[in-house]
Amino acid sequence: NYLTVEGMGLATVADSLAAIKKLVYEDRSVSMVDLVRALDANFEGHEALRQTLRHKAPKFGNDDPYVDELANEVSRFWTEEAFKRVAPETGKRYRGGYLSWNYWVAYAPKTAATPDGRLRGQFLSNGVCPVNGVDLAGPTAVIKSVGQISLETAPNGASHTMSFSP
């Protein structure tokens, strides 16, 4: 008796928040003004900043509590907020989950550049998976990061896919 809302881009959001928190507010190596300009320009003319965001900020999927805690906080917040609401047409309560199917691909062209260094059009992260290509500490670290997400507030389930090269 629920309407499901499927989340996608959790790691994209967590990585973006981690980049802002670390590089803008803690290290002060990136200004918010420069970051906003770069995002508005889809990083055109700001490739050095994009590379800093991609390679100097913590990334979900590497067993790093700094960003794993942000992913958990975002997940808990949006799933709890979704569950508080009901559809006006049916009165059914919404419930969140991460069975994002292929929306993480389909919505990429419609989603602006993000503070993790992602360009407009590049894929968002899928389900509770890391952003493609940033999980550099191996599959066990990915599993440990995913394990830090409290999914009890996401009763619709979660998709976690891992691919290995032959």
Side-chain angles (χ1 to χ4, degrees):
N1 211 12
Y2 295 95
L3 296 174
T4 59
V5 182
E6 301 301 348
M8 73 199 86
L10 177 62
T12 302
V13 171
D15 290 357
S16 294
L17 291 172
I20 293 168
K21 182 179 176 187
K22 174 122 179 77
L23 300 176
V24 174
Y25 290 105
E26 292 175 3
D27 296 353
R28 299 189 185 277
S29 60
V30 174
S31 79
M32 185 60 84
V33 170
D34 289 342
L35 177 58
V36 170
R37 283 186 186 132
L39 292 171
D40 287 345
N42 194 36
F43 291 105
E44 289 180 31
H46 303 273
E47 185 61 24
L49 174 56
R50 188 175 93 80
Q51 291 302 318
T52 297
L53 296 165
R54 293 282 296 169
H55 301 289
K56 299 297 182 187
K59 302 292 185 216
F60 179 78
N62 293 292
D63 189 26
D64 182 345
Y66 188 95
V67 68
D68 293 353
E69 289 171 10
L70 286 170
N72 185 48
E73 186 177 339
V74 167
S75 176
R76 181 172 293 281
F77 176 78
W78 93 263
T79 55
E80 287 176 351
E81 288 299 313
F83 196 72
K84 290 177 186 176
R85 289 165 173 69
V86 296
E89 306 83 20
T90 64
K92 291 182 180 181
R93 186 169 303 283
Y94 292 103
R95 66 178 183 177
Y98 293 99
L99 303 175
S100 60
W101 307 103
N102 287 327
Y103 301 128
W104 58 286
V105 173
Y107 290 163
K110 300 172 184 175
T111 305
T114 51
D116 62 341
R118 186 192 135 276
L119 297 168
R120 177 184 298 110
Q122 289 182 330
F123 296 156
L124 300 163
S125 56
N126 178 24
V128 293
C129 302
V131 169
N132 290 337
V134 302
D135 51 321
L136 303 176
T140 303
V142 172
I143 292 166
K144 289 174 79 176
S145 286
V146 171
Q148 296 304 308
I149 301 171
S150 302
L151 293 173
E152 64 272 359
T153 61
N156 197 45
S159 169
H160 179 235
T161 305
M162 294 179 78
S163 299
F164 297 95
S165 170

